[in-house]
Amino acid sequence: NIYYINRFKMIKIAPSILAVDLINLKDEVKLVDANGAEYIHIDVMDGHYVPNITFGPNIVKSLRPITNKVLDVHLMISPVEKYINNFIEAGADIISFHPEADDKPLEIIKSIKNKNCKAGIAIHPNITVANVTKYLELIDLVVVMTVVPGAGGQKFMDSEVVKIIELNNIRDQQKLNFEIEIDGGVNKETSQICKNSGADVLVAGSYIFSGAKDNYKTLIDSLR
């Protein structure tokens, strides 16, 4: 079996609000909070780094009073640096960004961590693990994109699983502490591949929010 298997690790689930009917955002977040989600994943797109436009710091600020769960903000924006403080002040717990989207990635990581927020980097399918190894000892989270960032509801890219395994091996060998989060096309089947490859956090949007509301707990649990 090529997959690294850790049967005793509890996977965290991060429902992505990208898949929510925004009219019901508050109620939907409360529902996934009550039904076992550990993180709430917020995809921020700027129409520049990716073709779509989604949320800004105002959404983070509006969600902060209604959940104590980790607000997990994924910035798909370029540039990055000038917007960091707005997201921290809005209440983000983790801020991940794409290092190639700004010319000061090390400064960005330091500025996030200096304000008692966790810092993450995200790996676009076009970017290799070798391109980001220099950041791994500095960060708290690595987001492995298993779709091309920019839209929800895409199919899981099996080609990216090798990155999960590679990151997990680096973490073990160097005794590093970052979490590995998978974002894109996660469902009952692909979640097991990710988990068995060393993932810690699974982002799921369409899989959870397109289900019946009284079934959210079952859907979330099925990813573990």
Side-chain angles (χ1 to χ4, degrees):
N1 189 342
I2 63 164
Y3 298 128
Y4 170 91
I5 298 179
N6 183 348
R7 300 184 188 282
F8 304 104
K9 181 166 69 178
M10 176 55 98
I11 290 280
K12 296 174 183 172
I13 307 301
S16 168
I17 65 166
L18 190 61
V20 170
D21 175 357
L22 289 182
I23 289 174
N24 302 317
L25 178 61
K26 180 178 178 182
D27 292 339
E28 295 280 19
V29 168
K30 284 185 168 180
L31 268 175
V32 291
D33 179 328
N35 283 288
E38 284 84 9
Y39 291 4
I40 305 296
H41 190 79
I42 303 165
D43 287 303
V44 178
M45 306 182 192
D46 65 352
H48 179 62
Y49 177 74
V50 291
N52 202 356
I53 297 174
T54 57
F55 312 117
N58 56 328
I59 287 281
V60 179
K61 188 173 183 180
S62 67
L63 291 180
R64 186 69 284 171
I66 68 168
T67 180
N68 292 321
K69 299 297 171 71
V70 171
L71 294 184
D72 171 30
V73 176
H74 175 194
L75 300 181
M76 288 168 265
I77 66 174
S78 179
V80 179
E81 188 180 34
K82 66 181 181 179
Y83 299 106
I84 290 296
N85 282 345
N86 294 342
F87 283 98
I88 293 173
E89 286 164 12
D93 295 297
I94 306 171
I95 297 176
S96 303
F97 68 99
H98 292 260
E100 75 279 9
D102 200 289
D103 55 7
K104 298 179 183 172
L106 288 170
E107 287 90 334
I108 292 167
I109 291 167
K110 285 175 190 160
S111 72
I112 294 171
K113 297 198 63 128
N114 283 344
K115 295 191 169 69
N116 292 321
C117 185
K118 289 186 174 180
I121 54 162
I123 307 179
H124 189 288
N126 296 341
I127 301 292
T128 66
V129 171
N131 289 133
V132 302
T133 46
K134 58 181 169 286
Y135 309 118
L136 295 180
E137 63 182 7
L138 305 171
I139 47 114
D140 304 287
L141 183 78
V142 180
V143 183
V144 177
M145 295 299 299
T146 43
V147 296
V148 175
Q154 297 182 65
K155 189 174 182 294
F156 184 87
M157 296 169 67
D158 293 299
S159 58
E160 303 311 292
V161 173
V162 67
K163 291 180 184 172
I164 309 171
I165 297 167
E166 194 177 344
L167 285 163
N168 191 51
N169 288 338
I170 291 169
R171 179 170 62 180
D172 283 352
Q173 288 158 10
Q174 299 184 22
K175 295 184 169 51
L176 300 175
N177 283 323
F178 60 84
E179 289 186 313
I180 300 170
E181 177 176 275
I182 314 307
D183 186 357
V186 171
N187 58 34
K188 188 176 179 179
E189 289 72 43
T190 57
S191 66
Q192 300 310 302
I193 297 169
C194 297
K195 186 171 84 167
N196 291 339
S197 303
D200 307 284
V201 186
L202 300 176
V203 175
S206 310
Y207 178 74
I208 294 172
F209 289 114
S210 60
K213 291 179 176 33
D214 59 2
N215 204 30
Y216 282 177
K217 181 165 183 9
T218 305
L219 290 165
I220 288 170
D221 289 345
S222 74
L223 297 172
R224 302 192 204 275

